[in-house]
């Protein structure tokens, strides 16, 4: 079975809960994924991050699930998640230990892959902490990819080496389905901004079956995290909307990081906006073209557009400035001459409003840290 033809959608425990994970939390989150409508919107993976095991392997070299956190065991928990029509994900690391100091998979890749398969795992996030310096990182990711591809179960491989070792040069041929090319996100506008701007030349390396992962979403966290470093003060609803729109336009996997059992209405509207999700999940998953205005300073307004499967285009304006800015897109930059006899019918996605037909350019005002997102259809004048 081919995995990750489109960017994966799901939820990960780390951003909000960090070390504080347990069986009841995962079950309640799976319940909430269904009850809130997130499952119907396309989110399907429930992923447990670090801190799920004991500190030592058993006498057979197998990882041991922490019996206090997960008294029923991982197989039973995976079965529960599957009973909701969802998929179950877990975490390990290419080093001797995980980032939190639990056993890593170095030299145990084939044992661990077989164990995960027996437990019913569908997704593995594979981190990069505590790797011996003399070992070749790309080889370790190829090793785990081989183990997963031959474990008897389809397991999506989420490589997480933060862009080290020139990741884009080898990650696709490693067998990974998605790969982190950034450091860790935290719940702040500065974090969103720095990650987004660092990725503006990375779109060409992302595509079906191996997507550039810009890290998990912070949408809806509002500074609520069990980890003070990740909490970082939180963002505004406007900033979360920009964050989500950017990740969607860039074809990043969308892994929710907030507590979906306790989302406000703004968070639901962002995470389940069908038009933004349709851009991320478009069948052709083409990467966007981006540019800034010739007279703009860096880190102000960037606009993007990308073709969609039915001939439409997604258009986004993103304001990284601390004040309101105007954004201008000349249609000839998209390939539409002024005198060709065609224009673009525009739909404002976040306002859910049809704006009519524009013939040569689009100009709009974008609020500080905000965005404007449009779906454009070619029409004959």
């Amino acid at each position: 079975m081919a995995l990750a033809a489109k960017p994966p959608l799901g939820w990960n425990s780390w951003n909000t809960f960090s070390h504080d994970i347990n069986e009841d939390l995962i079950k309640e989150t799976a319940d909430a994924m269904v009850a809130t409508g997130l499952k119907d919107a396309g989110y399907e993976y429930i992923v447990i991050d670090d801190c799920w095991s004991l500190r030592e392997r058993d006498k057979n070299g197998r990882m041991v699930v922490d019996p206090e956190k997960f008294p029923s065991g991982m197989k039973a928990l995976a079965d529960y998640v599957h009973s909701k029509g969802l998929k179950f994900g877990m975490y390990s690391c290419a080093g001797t230990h995980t980032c939190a100091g639990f056993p890593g998979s170095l030299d145990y890749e084939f044992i661990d892959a077989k164990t995960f398969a027996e437990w019913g795992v569908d997704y593995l996030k594979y981190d990069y902490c505590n790797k011996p310096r003399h070992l070749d990182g790309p080889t370790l990711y190829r090793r785990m990819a081989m183990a997963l591809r031959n474990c008897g179960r389809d397991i999506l491989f989420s490589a997480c080496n933060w862009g080290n070792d020139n990741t884009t040069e080898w990650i696709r041929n490693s067998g990974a389905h998605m790969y982190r090319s950034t450091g860790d996100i935290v719940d702040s506008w500065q974090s969103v901004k720095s990650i987004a701007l660092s990725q503006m030349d990375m779109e060409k390396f992302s595509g079906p079956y191996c997507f550039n992962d810009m890290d998990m979403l912070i949408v809806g966290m509002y500074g609520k995290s069990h980890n003070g470093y990740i909490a970082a003060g939180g963002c505004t609803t406007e900033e979360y909307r920009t964050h989500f729109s950017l990740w969607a336009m860039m074809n990043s996997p969308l892994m929710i990081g907030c507590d979906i059992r306790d989302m406000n209405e703004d968070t639901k509207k962002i995470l389940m906006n069908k038009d933004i999700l349709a851009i991320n999940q478009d069948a052709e998953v083409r990467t966007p073209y981006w540019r800034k205005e010739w007279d703009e300073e860096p880190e102000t307004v960037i606009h993007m557009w990308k073709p969609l499967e039915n001939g439409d285009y997604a258009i986004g304006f993103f304001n990284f400035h601390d004040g309101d800015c105007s954004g201008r897109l000349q249609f000839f930059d998209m390939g539409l001459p002024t005198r060709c006899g065609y224009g673009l019918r525009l739909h404002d996605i976040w306002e859910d409003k049809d704006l009519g037909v524009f013939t040569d350019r689009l100009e709009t005002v974008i609020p500080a840290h905000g965005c404007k997102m449009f779906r454009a259809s070619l029409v004959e004048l």
Side-chain angles (χ1 to χ4, degrees):
M1 176 181 175
L3 300 174
K6 300 177 184 178
L9 308 180
W11 175 89
N12 180 288
S13 63
W14 184 257
N15 279 355
T16 291
F17 298 100
S18 189
H19 299 65
D20 299 328
I21 53 174
N22 58 61
E23 184 175 303
D24 290 341
L25 167 65
I26 303 307
K27 288 182 175 180
E28 290 168 9
T29 299
D31 294 344
M33 186 79 85
V34 176
T36 59
L38 286 167
K39 176 181 178 292
D40 290 340
Y43 296 92
E44 59 178 346
Y45 290 100
I46 299 287
V47 181
I48 299 173
D49 211 284
D50 205 349
C51 310
W52 57 264
S53 74
L54 293 182
R55 297 280 179 177
E56 302 291 338
R57 293 174 177 268
D58 68 14
K59 63 181 181 180
N60 297 314
R62 291 169 61 109
M63 289 185 180
V64 181
V65 177
D66 187 324
E68 292 188 8
K69 292 180 177 179
F70 301 97
S72 300
M74 284 302 174
K75 179 63 169 65
L77 186 54
D79 288 345
Y80 186 88
V81 171
H82 292 152
S83 75
K84 300 295 179 178
L86 300 167
K87 296 179 180 179
F88 181 64
M90 294 187 67
Y91 167 100
S92 190
C93 190
T96 58
H97 296 80
T98 70
C99 298
F102 293 87
S105 289
L106 180 64
D107 292 335
Y108 291 90
E109 292 87 355
F110 290 85
I111 293 174
D112 290 351
K114 182 179 179 181
T115 300
F116 294 143
E118 291 172 354
W119 288 345
V121 171
D122 305 295
Y123 176 118
L124 179 67
K125 176 181 173 182
Y126 203 53
D127 224 330
Y128 204 48
C129 288
N130 297 302
K131 179 192 76 70
R133 294 183 183 275
H134 69 283
L135 295 181
D136 179 61
T139 297
L140 297 184
Y141 278 91
R142 293 185 182 109
R143 188 189 297 175
M144 179 53 88
M146 181 183 291
L148 292 174
R149 286 170 174 269
N150 292 275
C151 70
R153 184 177 180 84
D154 291 324
I155 299 179
L156 188 149
F157 186 26
S158 173
C160 183
N161 83 324
W162 326 310
N164 289 351
D165 306 325
N166 301 311
T167 306
T168 55
E169 296 180 6
W170 52 267
I171 194 64
R172 180 170 287 274
N173 64 41
S174 75
H177 298 101
M178 52 190 275
Y179 63 95
R180 273 274 299 284
S181 58
T182 74
D184 291 351
I185 196 170
V186 299
D187 191 8
S188 75
W189 168 249
Q190 184 57 46
S191 180
V192 170
K193 174 181 174 179
S194 63
I195 287 175
L197 292 174
S198 76
Q199 298 302 293
M200 290 301 168
D201 288 319
M202 302 292 288
E203 67 280 351
K204 56 184 173 289
F205 299 110
S206 183
Y209 313 113
C210 190
F211 289 100
N212 180 16
D213 175 14
M214 294 165 61
D215 206 1
M216 298 167 289
L217 298 171
I218 55 169
V219 174
M221 289 180 60
Y222 294 101
K224 298 175 183 176
S225 175
H226 295 208
N227 183 313
Y229 171 75
I230 298 172
C235 292
T236 67
T237 297
E238 184 76 47
E239 291 165 347
Y240 288 139
R241 192 178 295 119
T242 301
H243 164 42
F244 190 68
S245 300
L246 276 163
W247 267 233
M249 279 289 280
M250 296 289 281
N251 293 337
S252 177
L254 302 177
M255 302 299 292
I256 300 169
C258 71
D259 185 351
I260 64 173
R261 303 171 304 172
D262 186 31
M263 296 184 291
N264 65 23
E265 288 304 311
D266 286 334
T267 299
K268 293 177 184 178
K269 289 177 181 178
I270 293 172
L271 293 175
M272 289 187 277
N273 186 293
K274 62 180 180 14
D275 293 319
I276 301 295
L277 286 170
I279 291 169
N280 180 259
Q281 295 291 293
D282 186 75
E284 294 189 4
V285 285
R286 296 191 179 274
T287 53
Y289 182 86
W290 68 273
R291 57 166 294 182
K292 67 180 184 67
E293 280 297 325
W294 64 271
D295 57 348
E296 292 283 6
E297 294 296 322
E299 301 187 7
T300 53
V301 174
I302 286 175
H303 49 252
M304 298 181 189
W305 65 89
K306 70 174 179 178
L308 304 175
E309 62 171 319
N310 68 341
D312 286 358
Y313 282 79
I315 299 173
F317 291 85
F318 302 95
N319 182 6
F320 296 100
H321 192 59
D322 293 334
D324 295 355
C325 289
S326 62
R328 299 179 299 280
L329 175 60
Q330 308 287 352
F331 292 167
F332 56 72
D333 285 334
M334 297 177 62
L336 187 65
T338 302
R339 296 181 178 84
C340 68
Y342 289 85
L344 293 177
R345 185 181 303 280
L346 298 177
H347 180 78
D348 186 319
I349 292 176
W350 286 115
E351 295 294 329
D352 193 18
K353 182 188 301 183
D354 291 327
L355 303 181
V357 177
F358 293 69
T359 56
D360 62 346
R361 63 187 261 155
L362 170 63
E363 185 166 0
T364 187
V365 175
I366 310 103
H369 304 178
C371 71
K372 292 282 188 176
M373 291 288 293
F374 306 92
R375 189 168 181 123
S377 302
L378 188 72
V379 295
E380 191 169 4
L381 300 175

